[in-house]
Amino acid sequence: MKAGEFDVVIAGGGLGGVAAALAALRRGRRVLVAEETDWLGGQLTTQGVPPDEHAWIERFGATRSYRRLRDGIREHYRRWYPLTDAARRAPDLNPGLGRVSRLCHEPRVAADVISGLIAPYLAAGRLTVWYRHRPVAAEVDGDRVRSVVFEGPDGTLRDASAPFVLDATELGDLLPLAGIEHVTGFESSEETGEPSAPREAQPTNMQAVSWVFAVEHRAGEDHTIDKPERYSFWRDYRPGYWPGPLLGLTAPDPRNLEPLTRTFVPHATTGPVVADQSLDPGDRDLWAFRRVLARENFTPGFLDSDVTIVNWPMIDYLEGPVIGVSEEEQKRHLDGARELAMSMMYWLQTEAPRPDGGTGWAGLRLRGDIFGTDDGLAKAPYIRESRRIRARRTVVEQDLSLDVRGEHGAVEYPDSVGVGMYRIDLHPSTGGDNYIDVASCPFQIPLGALLPQRVENVLAAGKNIGTTHITNGCYRLHPVEWNIGEAAGALAAHCVDRGLTPAQVHEDPALLAEFRRELAADGVELAWPVVRGY
């Protein structure tokens, strides 16, 4: 397709972008996805984070298309890997037996499955993907975005236009380019009324980014990496609220902020795996926490080692934000996040305490191939917080906090386009805040949160929807981001078909009801069943 021949242009190919593209494609639309890396999937793939999901995910609380993604990942292992008979028969196969999720798997497997999901549309010529492209400019005419300019890996600029543009970038990069009103960091309690918000707004105070990595352990071998240049700095680094050096096994318990010492012993016997964060956060045993390949799931001798992903509090980068700063400063912070991660790796290899009284696990070996990289790190940093649109509806803490809502449950939105569930889980921030961890109720996704207040043909399709800094903490996880993107892509296609604007659909009860019926028929759950014990 040539530029200008699209119905929907999607900036960003993370989970929201992929779901948006598939939703529009299922409805016969022509779609462009421009992705900054060479993989689609965002936090699930390029950022290397196994899915964070709620306790009922195997039964309800996700869209049909998200379940197809999860089923595809399991089928990939059943078809191609030498599983044990017990693992192959397990309907809830968890390849890594990780404690963070009922489906801990290799990022590259998810990337392969996503490639399979989009393959028919590539073959049909209705989907175009520009890899290694990022938005750098936008042409705006009043309250409409006419086109977006993307820069490729060699500096070449490509222009794309469509009736509807979706921002599914990890940082909400399209928003400032198009002059779309947005917010960053903490809003003030005066603005939002939130119990956990500060008295004054803090726009540069954002959740830490992390650059994750994967390791295996080969006993008797030495895979010690070169000592990072600023290892001494990170070895001595200690935030004021941290119980000890950041490089260590002791960190705050997110739920009560008390010091908690984790264990890290490669291949230790872990006992039955409970992948239910409502009962157990899963982070007490760091080897099993985000393990993506567990030897016991595979025929004897197939794997020399488990493989686990290091995405721990100890690699949260706190020195500054990566939004709202110059490109030079952003690069400095991203380089710092990489160096912190490699310093943690070096510490594990040389100084981490062992049960035998010794120090260091020299046999730890980086597995960059898990991410498709040479340096051992994920392709991209794990981004927890984005720019957020000034939306027609902003979700606030008191809409879904368990302390506030209690037995009444979360606020029910008449414009719900999906559901989600996760604790309000805010990591330490660049402004010096410790964890904010608030129990929440199963919640809905209001359509108004995807719509900018002013701009007519742009939709938020990821972590950039109308949440606050606080509620972003539970709307940022995998199935919710997918649902957000799916609703945005479906709405764009719906509006193309009917010659409507998203605002018209949102404001007219009859049009809104028609769109919600379409979503339900396509397998989007619009409300929760009655659930207890969360």
Side-chain angles (χ1 to χ4, degrees):
M1 291 182 183
K2 297 180 181 179
E5 294 184 353
F6 308 107
D7 297 311
V8 183
V9 167
I10 302 173
L15 283 178
V18 170
L22 290 171
L25 290 162
R26 288 196 301 273
R27 290 160 172 81
R29 298 299 97 212
R30 300 164 300 168
V31 177
L32 167 69
V33 175
E35 161 56 27
E36 193 167 357
T37 71
D38 59 352
W39 276 6
L40 299 178
Q43 60 177 318
L44 189 65
T45 59
T46 61
Q47 299 173 30
V49 181
D52 286 292
E53 299 170 328
H54 56 75
W56 312 288
I57 191 67
E58 303 292 347
R59 293 177 288 158
F60 52 81
T63 73
R64 181 188 301 149
S65 66
Y66 184 75
R67 295 191 184 286
R68 187 182 182 199
L69 171 66
R70 297 177 90 252
D71 291 345
I73 291 169
R74 285 177 169 146
E75 182 56 31
H76 186 97
Y77 283 96
R78 292 190 183 104
R79 180 168 187 177
W80 300 112
Y81 284 62
L83 297 169
T84 64
D85 289 342
R88 190 175 303 280
R89 291 193 304 267
D92 57 349
L93 171 64
N94 189 349
L97 294 177
R99 293 181 180 274
V100 75
S101 172
R102 298 170 190 266
L103 183 58
C104 287
H105 55 83
E106 300 158 87
R108 64 182 175 190
V109 168
D112 287 344
V113 172
I114 288 171
S115 294
L117 292 174
I118 67 171
Y121 303 105
L122 290 171
R126 291 199 286 110
L127 171 64
T128 300
V129 181
W130 291 349
Y131 290 103
R132 299 187 186 278
H133 280 70
R134 66 186 184 100
V136 294
E139 179 188 352
V140 179
D141 181 8
D143 293 338
R144 296 184 64 84
V145 172
R146 294 299 183 188
S147 66
V148 181
V149 178
F150 295 94
E151 182 181 45
D154 59 356
T156 300
L157 300 180
R158 306 173 77 174
D159 182 85
S161 60
F164 291 93
V165 177
L166 275 55
D167 185 352
T169 60
E170 298 300 320
L171 297 176
D173 290 329
L174 187 60
L175 305 182
L177 297 176
I180 298 172
E181 293 79 5
H182 62 277
V183 63
T184 63
F186 263 116
E187 296 89 345
S188 70
S189 58
E190 181 179 356
E191 177 184 354
T192 67
E194 295 176 305
S196 301
R199 293 183 62 184
E200 297 183 1
Q202 300 172 9
T204 62
N205 189 0
M206 305 174 203
Q207 287 193 76
V209 302
S210 302
W211 215 305
V212 314
F213 57 95
V215 295
E216 64 179 6
H217 183 257
R218 295 177 176 266
E221 299 180 11
D222 188 345
H223 296 280
T224 305
I225 64 172
D226 293 336
K227 185 177 181 179
E229 182 178 352
R230 298 177 70 223
Y231 177 73
S232 295
F233 170 81
W234 291 114
R235 181 64 184 85
D236 296 334
Y237 188 86
R238 179 179 179 179
Y241 50 81
W242 216 257
L246 191 64
L247 298 187
L249 298 180
T250 302
D253 183 328
R255 300 188 183 184
N256 60 27
L257 303 185
E258 293 296 320
L260 175 65
T261 299
R262 282 75 168 178
T263 63
F264 178 79
V265 180
H267 302 127
T269 301
T270 58
V273 172
V274 179
D276 183 347
Q277 293 192 44
S278 68
L279 302 175
D280 177 4
D283 64 346
R284 274 53 175 171
D285 174 359
L286 292 174
W287 182 260
F289 182 31
R290 295 184 184 271
R291 184 172 51 192
V292 294
L293 286 174
R295 292 183 299 180
E296 64 190 90
N297 269 336
F298 302 90
T299 55
F302 174 67
L303 290 179
D304 294 325
S305 172
D306 296 346
V307 177
T308 193
I309 287 180
V310 176
N311 175 21
W312 309 339
M314 304 79 168
I315 64 166
D316 285 358
Y317 179 82
L318 304 169
E319 286 291 278
V322 296
I323 297 174
V325 296
S326 66
E327 286 193 15
E328 180 181 6
E329 187 172 357
Q330 183 187 68
K331 182 180 184 303
R332 178 169 65 83
H333 290 319
L334 292 176
D335 288 345
R338 295 173 66 93
E339 187 179 55
L340 170 58
M342 287 297 92
S343 295
M344 186 70 204
M345 176 64 177
Y346 186 77
W347 182 86
L348 289 169
Q349 292 176 315
T350 61
E351 297 190 55
R354 301 196 310 257
D356 64 4
T359 55
W361 303 91
L364 289 174
R365 177 172 173 261
L366 286 168
R367 289 291 306 271
D369 58 305
I370 295 291
F371 306 111
T373 66
D374 295 328
D375 61 8
L377 291 163
K379 288 179 180 288
Y382 178 30
I383 302 296
R384 297 181 174 91
E385 185 170 347
S386 172
R387 298 176 180 90
R388 302 180 299 281
I389 61 170
R390 292 285 187 185
R392 288 174 168 262
R393 171 73 190 231
T394 298
V395 178
V396 293
E397 180 182 357
Q398 53 271 33
D399 285 356
L400 49 87
S401 164
L402 182 60
D403 283 346
V404 174
R405 298 293 302 175
E407 64 181 15
H408 300 289
V411 169
E412 294 187 10
Y413 304 120
D415 61 341
S416 171
V417 291
V419 298
M421 173 57 182
Y422 206 75
R423 292 177 69 89
I424 296 176
D425 172 20
L426 294 168
H427 277 237
S429 68
T430 57
D433 290 299
N434 204 339
Y435 284 97
I436 297 175
D437 192 284
V438 176
S440 63
C441 307
F443 53 82
Q444 297 174 339
I445 303 167
L447 179 59
L450 282 59
L451 276 58
Q453 292 176 348
R454 178 182 58 82
V455 178
E456 297 176 353
N457 69 327
V458 173
L459 294 168
K463 293 184 288 290
N464 54 353
I465 66 167
T467 58
T468 65
H469 173 86
I470 302 293
T471 55
N472 164 72
C474 59
Y475 274 76
R476 64 182 175 83
L477 287 311
H478 302 66
V480 184
E481 183 187 357
W482 182 278
N483 194 153
I484 290 166
E486 184 168 349
L491 180 59
H494 183 90
C495 289
V496 169
D497 289 342
R498 291 158 177 78
L500 299 169
T501 67
Q504 287 174 315
V505 174
H506 188 238
E507 292 169 359
D508 186 305
L511 294 176
L512 177 61
E514 179 189 9
F515 176 61
R516 280 166 38 87
R517 285 194 297 269
E518 178 185 312
L519 289 178
D522 200 29
V524 177
E525 298 180 21
L526 303 178
W528 284 93
V530 176
V531 291
R532 301 289 185 222
Y534 49 83

